[in-house]
Amino acid sequence: MSQFIEWAAMGGYGVYIWPTYGVVTLLLIFNAVNTRWQYKKTLNRLRAWFASK
Amino acid sequence: MWKFLYSLASPKAFYLFTSKLLPWLGYATLFFLIFGCGWGLLFAPADYLQGNVFRIIYLHVPAAFLSMALYGWLGFLAILLLVWRIKIAGMLLSIVARLGALMAFVALITGSVWGKPTWGTWWIWDARLTSELILFLLYCAIIATAGVFQNKEQGDKVVAILALVGLADLPIIHYSVHWWNTLHQSDTLSLFSKPKIASSMLYPLLFMIAGFLCYSLWVILMKAQGELLMRQRRQNWVKAALNGEQR
């Protein structure tokens, strides 16, 4: 346990490293999920457009 | 090779090819990013001077590299559109610009956090930092310009011209650490010289760069597919593709 805490502390720089990794991971995941969601939305809009013709 | 690339100028061929490529890009992204992060955070040794804070390099360098590489690609797409009138190139311009802005933003944020413990400040008007900020603003200008036009194809041409003008910033960013006395360190990686970091730190960095590259391609191609289907909806192949007959 103490080894894990020591590693997570990153020599006192954990306060800089972990929030940076957290924010960037969230940004990348949000962008990927949003991209996928937009694509699905486009497919649904097109299906509705074809159905209305 | 050129014949294959030329065939991708056809919207239908582009859609069919990218449909096959996208799942593999997704798996490659997960593989490279998970292994790169794990390797960089768990097994790479701490830097002799900066200690563990150097581990921000595994986010900062890939994001900065992609922010510049994507702008280079933007320039290439602009030439494809303006000289050879390849419409897919025009469609890709604003998609690439959005992702480039995200990468430039990540590079600026991670650089700022890295700067605080190493330089003692979040921000300084250093040549490298300022030219990267200008790149981010250029991306924002391109996105804003693309959003103004109702006629998308006309908007693509204006965006292409703006992208070409902004290309001048790329050599300034790259050579800023050589031309001026900057607080920012010189390039860690170069195509034409030996890397300046130990291989135990270099390999996870290469994994992360590969991961960011696959991620970027995945996002760009996924967005391009949606935009392509929407723009080409009056073509017969789009309805067939939607029904899953050609996927």
Side-chain angles (χ1 to χ4, degrees), chain B residues 20-240:
Chain B
K20 286 179 192 153
L21 193 64
L22 272 169
W24 295 105
L25 277 175
Y27 298 137
T29 301
L30 287 175
F31 171 77
F32 283 121
L33 289 184
I34 290 170
F35 275 86
C37 265
W39 198 346
L41 289 169
L42 289 165
F43 303 114
D47 184 71
Y48 81 103
L49 191 62
Q50 296 187 23
N52 281 302
V53 78
F54 101 96
R55 293 181 202 278
I56 294 175
I57 201 174
Y58 298 118
L59 298 175
H60 177 70
V61 168
F65 170 76
L66 255 300
S67 71
M68 291 174 67
L70 288 172
Y71 203 94
W73 196 22
L74 210 61
F76 176 68
L77 290 170
I79 291 169
L80 283 183
L81 177 70
L82 295 174
V83 178
W84 286 285
R85 297 167 194 263
I86 295 175
K87 286 184 180 176
I88 288 179
M91 187 195 75
L92 286 170
L93 282 170
S94 60
I95 295 171
V96 173
R98 279 171 208 276
L99 189 68
L102 176 73
M103 290 298 166
F105 179 71
V106 169
L108 287 168
I109 293 296
T110 52
S112 179
V113 177
W114 195 359
K116 181 63 182 166
T118 49
W119 301 338
T121 180
W122 297 102
W123 181 264
I124 188 165
W125 292 101
D126 174 284
R128 173 60 73 90
L129 276 69
T130 308
S131 51
E132 182 71 21
L133 177 65
I134 291 170
L135 183 71
F136 174 67
L137 295 175
L138 274 168
Y139 276 128
C140 292
I142 288 170
I143 295 164
T145 308
V148 165
F149 287 87
Q150 289 286 331
N151 182 337
K152 289 199 172 183
E153 288 182 8
Q154 192 186 6
D156 289 344
K157 284 180 189 164
V158 178
V159 164
I161 293 165
L162 189 60
L164 284 177
V165 173
L167 273 179
D169 192 38
L170 288 190
I172 296 174
I173 298 173
H174 184 72
Y175 291 108
S176 58
V177 289
H178 303 291
W179 290 343
W180 294 285
N181 286 321
T182 60
L183 205 51
H184 194 284
Q185 67 192 59
S186 59
D187 300 325
T188 308
L189 294 175
S190 169
L191 281 177
F192 307 108
S193 58
K194 266 183 82 175
K196 290 176 184 162
I197 60 172
S199 54
S200 54
M201 298 169 169
L202 174 68
Y203 293 135
L205 181 59
L206 294 178
F207 262 66
M208 289 301 282
I209 292 174
F212 270 65
L213 196 62
C214 290
Y215 174 84
S216 300
L217 279 174
W218 184 86
V219 168
I220 289 166
L221 294 181
M222 176 70 77
K223 286 189 175 179
Q225 279 202 333
E227 183 76 23
L228 189 70
L229 288 174
M230 199 47 116
R231 288 192 188 195
Q232 296 275 313
R233 63 185 179 274
R234 290 175 207 284
Q235 308 295 324
N236 290 333
W237 70 267
V238 173
K239 195 173 182 181

Side-chain angles (χ1 to χ4, degrees), chain A residues 7 10-11 13 16-18 20-21 24 27-28 31-32 35-36 39 42-43 45-47 49-50, chain B residues 15 41-42 50 52-53 55 58-59 99 102 110 113 215 222-223 225-226 229-230 233-234 242 247:
Chain A
W7 169 77
M10 290 278 166
Y13 293 117
Y16 296 104
I17 295 169
W18 297 118
T20 309
Y21 271 83
V24 173
L27 269 176
L28 295 184
N31 189 46
T35 301
R36 184 86 191 146
Y39 179 70
T42 303
L43 292 187
R45 276 174 64 194
L46 279 171
R47 284 198 184 101
W49 186 77
F50 280 118
Chain B
Y15 178 82
L41 289 169
L42 289 165
Q50 296 187 23
N52 281 302
V53 78
R55 293 181 202 278
Y58 298 118
L59 298 175
L99 189 68
L102 176 73
T110 52
V113 177
Y215 174 84
M222 176 70 77
K223 286 189 175 179
Q225 279 202 333
L229 288 174
M230 199 47 116
R233 63 185 179 274
R234 290 175 207 284
L242 270 182
R247 291 197 74 172

